[in-house]
């Protein structure tokens, strides 16, 4: 007996619910992105019908993938780590013959179009199944997203989700990569972004909102931003939050929880982790 499931723009049936869900992000509002990091202890199978775009990684001793297309038969058999890319309209079946770990990032058609500025119907995206060693960039990106989604005490940063999603599209060849020509924001656009981040430092800010503020597509904006600032938008926002929190803590007028809230961190614990990542020290040590 199978269990029906729906995960964003993917639906189907699964032999049993995952034995463990390490982390999950449910699509909401304009994000239209869904992510799940899951594991099974026993063999099983699932079917998938994709209306958007699915990018995933599987890790198991033995895997079988079948595309449900006339005359297609067995699509591919893999052992160990496997990368999968499933375009709109894909329908197929996956079987695993032992313990397995899977991570799926699912884009709605609107999310893909918003990030690459092109209708999904015009994209030439083929079904791909290959060794994970050929797509290690995607593996590391989804692993990072899984670590962020594992913290169920606070929502995953929208800017992080957007940034990872765009990087995944680029790593898969769906979105254009970096141009050999140097791209940068204008001085006016730089000022607009600085002001926007300062005004919104205590509230969630998405990549789409930043790009829209300077009338650019998300893909072009990220390239131009890095050309001007030398870091990604997500890294810049984190550094600005850390700088504000340091200033607040140094003033001695607020608690760590208050500093975290005013600087846009979900809580003092998450702020502490970010401080150690950015500065290599705890919030109080960094403030000193």
């Amino acid at each position: 007996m199978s269990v029906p499931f729906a995960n964003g723009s993917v639906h189907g049936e699964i032999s049993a619910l995952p034995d463990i869900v390490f982390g999950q992000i449910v699509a909401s509002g304009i994000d239209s992105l869904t992510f799940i990091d899951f594991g099974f202890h026993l063999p099983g199978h699932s079917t998938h019908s994709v209306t958007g775009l699915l990018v995933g990684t599987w890790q198991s001793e033995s895997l079988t993938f079948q595309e449900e297309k006339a005359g297609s038969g067995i699509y591919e058999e893999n052992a160990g780590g496997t990368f999968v890319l499933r375009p709109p309209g894909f329908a197929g079946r996956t079987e695993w013959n032992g313990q397995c770990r899977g991570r799926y990032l699912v884009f709605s058609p609107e999310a893909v179009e918003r990030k690459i500025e092109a209708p999904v119907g015009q994209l030439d995206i083929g079904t791909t199944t290959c060794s994970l060693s050929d797509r290690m960039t995607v593996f590391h990106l989804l692993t990072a997203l899984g670590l962020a989604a594992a913290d169920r005490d606070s929502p995953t940063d929208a800017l992080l989700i957007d940034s990872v999603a765009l990087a995944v599209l680029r790593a898969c060849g769906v979105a254009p990569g970096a141009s050999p020509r140097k791209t940068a924001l204008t001085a006016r656009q730089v000022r607009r972004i600085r002001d926007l981040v300062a005004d919104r430092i205590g509230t969630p800010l998405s990549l789409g909102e930043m790009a829209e503020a300077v009338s650019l597509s998300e893909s072009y904006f990220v390239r131009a931003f890095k050309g001007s600032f030398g870091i990604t938008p997500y890294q810049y926002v984190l550094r600005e939050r850390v700088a504000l929190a340091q200033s607040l803590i140094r003033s001695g007028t607020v608690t760590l929880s208050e500093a975290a809230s005013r600087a846009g961190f979900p809580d003092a614990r998450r702020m502490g982790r970010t401080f150690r990542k950015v500065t290599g020290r705890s919030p109080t040590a960094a403030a000193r």
Side-chain angles (χ1 to χ4, degrees):
M1 182 177 178
S2 298
V3 180
F5 77 90
N7 188 23
S9 296
V10 176
H11 67 274
E13 293 186 347
I14 196 164
S15 55
L17 294 176
D19 294 302
I20 183 168
V21 175
F22 298 96
Q24 189 168 13
I25 299 170
V26 179
S28 61
I30 194 172
D31 290 337
S32 301
L33 297 167
T34 309
F35 174 80
I36 183 169
D37 182 355
F38 59 93
F40 288 95
H41 299 322
L42 300 173
H45 65 269
S46 64
T47 61
H48 297 81
S49 294
V50 183
T51 56
L53 181 70
L54 181 151
V55 180
T57 61
W58 280 95
Q59 293 170 281
S60 182
E61 291 183 2
S62 178
L63 295 160
T64 302
F65 301 94
Q66 183 177 10
E67 186 171 7
E68 295 177 1
K69 216 167 26 175
S72 64
I74 296 298
Y75 185 71
E76 192 160 341
E77 294 186 13
N78 280 60
T82 304
F83 164 85
V84 297
L85 174 65
R86 303 300 188 238
F90 174 89
R93 176 184 173 94
T94 302
E95 296 182 8
W96 54 97
N97 296 324
Q99 293 186 358
C100 78
R101 175 80 174 265
R103 297 182 179 94
Y104 280 167
L105 179 60
V106 180
F107 300 77
S108 71
E110 296 78 15
V112 177
E113 293 175 355
R114 179 165 53 87
K115 292 187 178 301
I116 65 176
E117 297 270 299
V120 170
Q122 294 181 10
L123 298 176
D124 183 17
I125 307 174
T127 299
T128 304
T129 307
C130 66
S131 172
L132 193 54
S133 62
D134 296 332
R135 295 289 192 279
M136 288 305 294
T137 298
V138 175
F139 173 75
H140 292 310
L141 288 167
L142 295 188
T143 298
L145 196 54
L147 290 174
D151 187 348
R152 296 186 174 119
D153 293 333
S154 54
T156 307
D157 192 307
L159 185 55
L160 172 63
I161 300 171
D162 274 344
S163 301
V164 170
L166 181 57
V168 166
L169 289 178
R170 285 180 172 171
C172 294
V174 176
S179 171
R181 298 177 56 187
K182 183 172 175 58
T183 304
L185 300 172
T186 66
R188 182 177 180 181
Q189 289 173 325
V190 168
R191 289 194 299 271
R192 177 73 186 98
I193 290 300
R194 288 190 187 277
D195 290 343
L196 175 65
V197 173
D199 290 342
R200 296 282 302 278
I201 196 69
T203 59
L205 182 64
S206 71
L207 188 60
E209 289 174 301
M210 296 179 74
E212 185 178 359
V214 290
S215 303
L216 297 175
S217 69
E218 291 182 25
S219 182
Y220 186 88
F221 170 72
V222 170
R223 297 198 302 272
F225 187 97
K226 196 164 186 180
S228 294
F229 290 87
I231 54 178
T232 67
Y234 179 64
Q235 291 169 328
Y236 174 78
V237 171
L238 281 188
R239 291 186 182 185
E240 291 298 295
R241 287 175 176 167
V242 165
L244 174 58
Q246 278 184 311
S247 177
L248 291 170
I249 296 169
R250 191 178 294 122
S251 72
T253 60
V254 299
T255 65
L256 287 179
S257 294
E258 289 171 333
S261 176
R262 288 171 61 177
F265 294 103
D267 50 49
R269 181 174 56 85
R270 183 75 69 90
M271 179 178 70
R273 288 214 308 262
T274 303
F275 261 76
R276 290 181 178 86
K277 183 192 307 181
V278 174
T279 70
R281 294 173 289 175
S282 69
T284 50
R288 288 197 296 270

